[in-house]
Amino acid sequence: MHQQNGKPVDLYPGSGMESIRSHILADPEEHLYEDDGQSVTQDGWMVAYLDLMTLLLALFIIMGAISHSKAGVKMQAPSSPQNTATQGSPVSDNATIQRQGQKKGQEESVQRILGSNSLGGVMDYKASPGEIRLQMHANMLFDAAGTHLSKKAMRTLKNIARVLTNYQGKVEVAGHTDNTPLTKGRFHSNWELSSARAATVVEALINLGISQRRLHATGYADTKPVASNATAEGRAKNRRVEFVIDMGPEFLYTR
């Protein structure tokens, strides 16, 4: 500021840094002002200072724009189709589809093996993870309340032995009955009858070449019905022998 006639006079009309910078960058001879008979020259370091401030401001703007751009990419990444394909739900769905495919292949293999051994019309089967359960009606093997195997029954068990050679797991032979009490014969309960039938089948399979280390016999009496014991048809279904094959880590021998 400069005083003239006792009043302050602005030597740099305008306002702000741009006004100051324009005056500094002007011809040095124009920066000579009379002040009480003395000439005053503006310092040149202000030019470098203003340039530095301008460059720093531009640098901060660029850095801020880059940071914002990166943040935007990270926020959008989880919604991309490629990333969602590797998240938990799709993987779980793929695993379910794979298990379903394995079960279907398992069932097809069982059907093929049973059919090739003339057992397709005799047995029911259920395939589940880790095991295959083959079911045979007791009247295909035994007389009523009996444990003697007929020649026809032995031919059937011979075919079953062929089926079991396709697998490597342990086999539980389980005897089941209906809930009708035993009043005649040498067995006093369905527990004795179911256990004796299971043991008889195991002995026959051993004689047919199945390793006894793979086999064990269990009697369940009427504790695991598959149908209602209120009807004759249901009781006939409950009188059965099951072959429960533990699959272990592998399903079939490689042939």
Side-chain angles (χ1 to χ4, degrees), residues 73-254:
V73 172
K74 291 181 180 179
M75 292 175 63
Q76 295 296 326
S79 62
S80 63
Q82 291 83 357
N83 290 341
T84 54
T86 60
Q87 293 177 355
S89 297
V91 172
S92 178
D93 292 341
N94 291 337
T96 301
I97 293 173
Q98 184 178 9
R99 286 194 297 269
Q100 291 174 349
Q102 289 175 346
K103 183 178 179 181
K104 183 178 180 180
Q106 212 174 50
E107 292 176 349
E108 291 175 352
S109 297
V110 174
Q111 287 179 339
R112 184 176 63 256
I113 292 171
L114 295 181
S116 64
N117 288 280
S118 301
L119 291 172
V122 175
M123 303 185 69
D124 296 326
Y125 70 92
K126 294 180 180 179
S128 59
E131 71 175 27
I132 293 178
R133 187 179 296 266
L134 308 176
Q135 297 181 357
M136 177 172 289
H137 296 297
N139 59 7
M140 300 297 301
L141 299 173
F142 306 104
D143 295 332
T147 60
H148 177 72
L149 294 170
S150 64
K151 291 183 178 179
K152 181 179 179 180
M154 288 303 300
R155 287 195 297 269
T156 301
L157 289 178
K158 187 175 182 179
N159 291 333
I160 291 176
R162 292 196 186 101
V163 172
L164 295 180
T165 57
N166 289 274
Y167 305 92
Q168 59 181 336
K170 293 184 179 299
V171 182
E172 176 190 13
V173 179
H176 299 270
T177 67
D178 59 24
N179 64 348
T180 304
L182 296 179
T183 57
K184 298 180 181 180
R186 61 191 182 94
F187 299 107
H188 302 289
S189 68
N190 285 316
W191 287 103
E192 292 182 10
L193 177 60
S194 62
S195 298
R197 284 180 168 177
T200 299
V201 172
V202 165
E203 290 178 357
L205 291 176
I206 292 173
N207 293 332
L208 290 170
I210 304 301
S211 172
Q212 62 181 355
R213 295 182 179 180
R214 295 181 57 194
L215 300 168
H216 67 277
T218 309
Y220 289 99
D222 60 340
T223 60
K224 293 186 175 183
V226 294
S228 173
N229 282 306
T231 64
E233 182 181 356
R235 289 192 296 271
K237 290 181 178 180
N238 290 332
R239 295 190 297 270
R240 67 196 189 278
V241 176
E242 290 184 338
F243 302 84
V244 185
I245 307 169
D246 182 10
M247 303 312 301
E250 299 180 4
F251 178 56
L252 290 173
Y253 281 118
T254 302

Side-chain angles (χ1 to χ4, degrees), residues 3-112:
Q3 291 185 355
Q4 185 176 5
N5 297 327
K7 295 181 180 181
V9 177
D10 191 351
L11 296 178
Y12 304 100
S15 60
M17 183 180 294
E18 183 62 28
S19 177
I20 296 173
R21 190 174 188 277
S22 64
H23 283 279
I24 293 174
L25 294 176
D27 190 346
E29 294 182 356
E30 295 179 3
H31 293 280
L32 298 177
Y33 302 94
E34 294 295 331
D35 188 1
D36 295 333
Q38 296 179 357
S39 56
V40 179
T41 304
Q42 294 293 325
D43 293 331
W45 63 269
M46 289 294 291
V47 176
Y49 177 76
L50 291 176
D51 287 340
L52 177 61
M53 292 298 101
T54 303
L55 292 174
L56 288 176
L57 178 60
L59 178 62
F60 290 147
I61 292 174
I62 294 172
M63 292 177 63
I66 293 174
S67 299
H68 180 72
S69 176
K70 290 183 177 179
V73 172
K74 291 181 180 179
M75 292 175 63
Q76 295 296 326
S79 62
S80 63
Q82 291 83 357
N83 290 341
T84 54
T86 60
Q87 293 177 355
S89 297
V91 172
S92 178
D93 292 341
N94 291 337
T96 301
I97 293 173
Q98 184 178 9
R99 286 194 297 269
Q100 291 174 349
Q102 289 175 346
K103 183 178 179 181
K104 183 178 180 180
Q106 212 174 50
E107 292 176 349
E108 291 175 352
S109 297
V110 174
Q111 287 179 339
R112 184 176 63 256

